[in-house]
Amino acid sequence: MTLPSEGAHAGHEDAEERAEGLKNRLNWLRAGVLGANDGIVSTAGVVMGVAGATTGTTAVLIAGVAALVAGAISMAAGEYVSVSTQRDTEESLIAKERRELREMPEEELRELEGFLRDRGLEPETAAEVAEQLTDRDALRAHAVLELGIDVDDLTSPWSAAWASMLSFTLGALLPLMAIMLLPDSARIWGTVLTVTIALAITGWTSARLGYAPPGRAAMRNVAGGLLAMLVTYVVGDLLGTQLG
């Protein structure tokens, strides 16, 4: 027979796992949106700068593709290094916790009780739940309550790298395709319009995922992207005039 406290704890544990899973998915989604945003702004800046310097379509295409490839690889490499460091830290903390559970189980049990009391459980209930968690999976309990780590869901450097590369590439394709596919008479303003809409969407989405005011975030995002395109276009135009 399942005790009331066992049922309540199991439900609480399942709810925490679902909340943690949702939080992780939202974090990944937000990182993807920001990666796409970087691709849009950086590639738009490059192609606008080259378009300001020359009317040659080939030069714009080469510069845009180079910016896309370099940016995507850079994003992937940076994300891989960053997440690898995070995973190394998580594995080190889990190994330390495993060693402590093996060498001083009683102290770890009391520590687990303390974490549960800090979360609002009565001392008697905390002691009972701590014993049940320890019997079931002591390492998992300490990893979640003490370290905030799911031992079965450690961060993956390769997944992060591929996701970052893909999101950056998708974002970078927007200004590159716009400036290449539009007729010469409309490619500058058409690219500006395309980038403005894309940045408004990514800014709004990122803000919503982060529970921030979406309107203000979208406006800031668009303003930053427009400023980047304006500056690079002016620089390209000046250099094209001086060096042409």
Side-chain angles (χ1 to χ4, degrees):
M1 182 178 67
T2 303
L3 295 174
S5 60
E6 290 178 333
H9 172 68
H12 180 66
E13 188 178 58
D14 290 342
E16 284 192 344
E17 289 179 356
R18 288 194 298 271
E20 187 65 26
L22 178 60
K23 178 182 176 182
N24 289 336
R25 286 193 293 273
L26 288 176
N27 285 338
W28 279 108
L29 181 57
R30 189 165 184 266
V33 171
L34 293 176
N37 194 80
D38 288 344
I40 294 168
V41 174
S42 60
T43 306
V46 170
V47 296
M48 290 294 285
V50 177
T54 178
T55 57
T57 303
T58 301
V60 175
L61 177 61
I62 293 173
V65 172
L68 186 156
V69 173
I73 293 175
S74 175
M75 288 284 290
E79 195 71 15
Y80 179 83
V81 170
S82 174
V83 175
S84 292
T85 301
Q86 180 182 342
R87 186 184 179 97
D88 290 344
T89 301
E90 291 173 344
E91 290 176 342
S92 176
L93 290 171
I94 290 173
K96 177 176 178 290
E97 199 62 43
R98 184 181 288 112
R99 184 174 63 254
E100 291 176 348
L101 285 168
R102 184 175 61 250
E103 295 175 354
M104 43 185 184
E106 290 301 321
E107 290 84 347
E108 290 297 294
L109 178 61
R110 301 286 85 79
E111 184 180 50
L112 189 59
E113 290 180 20
F115 289 130
L116 292 169
R117 288 196 302 271
D118 291 342
R119 292 194 170 202
L121 272 66
E122 294 295 329
E124 296 80 5
T125 305
E128 179 184 354
V129 173
E131 290 180 4
Q132 292 176 9
L133 288 174
T134 299
D135 292 340
R136 181 185 301 177
D137 192 333
L139 180 61
R140 179 189 297 277
H142 279 270
V144 171
L145 293 173
E146 182 178 351
L147 306 175
I149 298 173
D150 184 348
V151 295
D152 293 328
D153 190 26
L154 298 182
T155 51
S156 170
W158 284 111
S159 296
W162 282 111
S164 182
M165 177 183 285
L166 179 60
S167 63
F168 183 95
T169 300
L170 292 175
L173 282 172
L174 286 172
L176 180 58
M177 292 178 64
I179 204 165
M180 294 305 302
L181 297 179
L182 291 171
D184 291 346
S185 60
R187 68 176 186 172
I188 297 299
W189 289 110
T191 302
V192 170
L193 179 60
T194 300
V195 170
T196 298
I197 295 172
L199 290 178
I201 293 173
T202 55
W204 186 90
T205 304
S206 178
R208 290 288 295 177
L209 293 173
Y211 304 103
R216 200 182 320 164
M219 290 177 62
R220 284 198 301 263
N221 206 38
V222 169
L226 292 177
L227 177 62
M229 286 189 292
L230 175 62
V231 171
T232 54
Y233 183 84
V234 170
V235 170
D237 185 53
L238 291 175
L239 288 176
T241 301
Q242 295 295 322
L243 302 177

